[in-house]
Amino acid sequence: MGVVFRPQNPPELLREVVKVADAAGLEELWLCEDCFAEGGISSAAAALAWSEHVRIGIGVLPVPLRNVALTAMEIATLERIFPGRAIWGVGHGNQEWMGQVGARVVSPLTLLREYLDALRDLLAGKRVTAQGRYVQLDNVALDWPPDTAPAVVAGAFGPRSLRLIGETADGVVTGTTLAGLPQAIELVREGRAAREPADGKFPFMVQLVAATGPDAAERAGAETKRLGHDVGDSLSAVGDAHAIADTIAQWSEAGADTVILEPTPDEPDPVGFFRFLAEEVRPLVS
């Protein structure tokens, strides 16, 4: 189980949330790099330094915004300081935001493929020369690659992106309906089938809106609609600790390896909600 610290929260709130997650034994704390809120790498570095046990997930770094060599350097640095403590995610990025900063590309799929290939090779300590449509490297290698190359997961929603991630990444973070989860898993498997080798663990992570309290259903419903989904799409976990744990169990039974819960933007007590999920919901999840 993972919980998102929304970048719309003030950065100075992160330390308290990290301490709660670490003390409660939560497995994963997820951070976002939403434009124009908080930097994913800087937030991750602080969270890793403030914690001992909880894994810190980045979901996700937008690849049009970041040169792949710089991303590899930053990941490698943190992997050497905090080995195995982070989950590194990349993705297309919000296309409107990418347009605002002059980074929008004609073919996000091509960029993501080139980026994942180069990033994973650099983190594996390889010397990379690439002359792609978007990723261009000339004899580049990291001076300080990680001792063990970390997994790189990717965020995706569409069929072509899911197949691509199955072929080129080490895991997927997605948002889909409960009924659509089997199809999403199959699309990833189709991509995996084209991969050599296709063995090894490939985690499937889903993200849900979460809320508790007397107005939980209304807040979760409003956020679900804002994200472009119907309230009946089962994309939220709402209610008391048992109700939310039951929802997580449904997704797990449908094939999700990790369920990541994201509070609503209008959550009145972000730290209290984090404590509720970590201390009351997590013990109910087997």
Side-chain angles (χ1 to χ4, degrees), residues 89-282:
V90 300
H92 297 305
N94 180 294
Q95 296 305 296
E96 181 179 349
W97 292 337
M98 296 304 100
Q100 283 182 267
V101 297
R104 187 167 185 167
V105 298
V106 175
S107 177
L109 280 171
T110 301
L111 171 57
L112 188 59
R113 177 184 292 277
E114 294 177 358
Y115 201 99
L116 281 165
D117 287 344
L119 179 60
R120 294 174 73 237
D121 281 348
L122 288 169
L123 292 174
K126 297 180 181 180
R127 186 167 296 276
V128 180
T129 294
Q131 295 299 322
R133 182 175 180 181
Y134 299 110
V135 174
Q136 299 180 13
L137 300 172
D138 182 10
N139 197 33
V140 175
L142 297 176
D143 287 353
W144 296 102
D147 291 334
T148 301
V152 178
V153 305
F157 300 94
R160 292 191 299 165
S161 293
L162 288 169
R163 288 192 189 96
L164 172 65
I165 288 173
E167 186 177 347
T168 57
D170 300 306
V172 64
V173 183
T174 190
T176 180
T177 65
L178 186 60
L181 183 58
Q183 181 185 13
I185 293 174
E186 182 57 33
L187 288 167
V188 170
R189 286 176 177 166
E190 289 175 9
R192 294 274 288 164
R195 186 172 178 169
E196 294 294 340
D199 57 353
K201 186 178 180 181
F202 192 95
F204 204 100
M205 297 166 272
V206 297
Q207 191 165 326
L208 306 179
V209 176
T212 192
D215 60 346
E218 291 78 9
R219 288 192 290 111
E223 177 64 2
T224 299
K225 290 180 180 178
R226 187 188 70 82
L227 294 172
H229 301 284
D230 293 331
V231 175
D233 283 345
S234 304
L235 278 166
S236 61
V238 176
D240 62 14
H242 287 277
I244 293 176
D246 287 345
T247 299
I248 294 171
Q250 292 175 15
W251 283 86
S252 177
E253 291 167 5
D257 299 296
T258 299
V259 176
I260 304 166
L261 303 176
E262 180 172 2
T264 61
D266 55 353
E267 168 56 50
D269 182 7
V271 175
F273 186 63
F274 228 96
R275 185 173 284 110
F276 161 73
L277 292 174
E279 297 178 357
E280 297 185 42
V281 176
R282 180 60 191 92

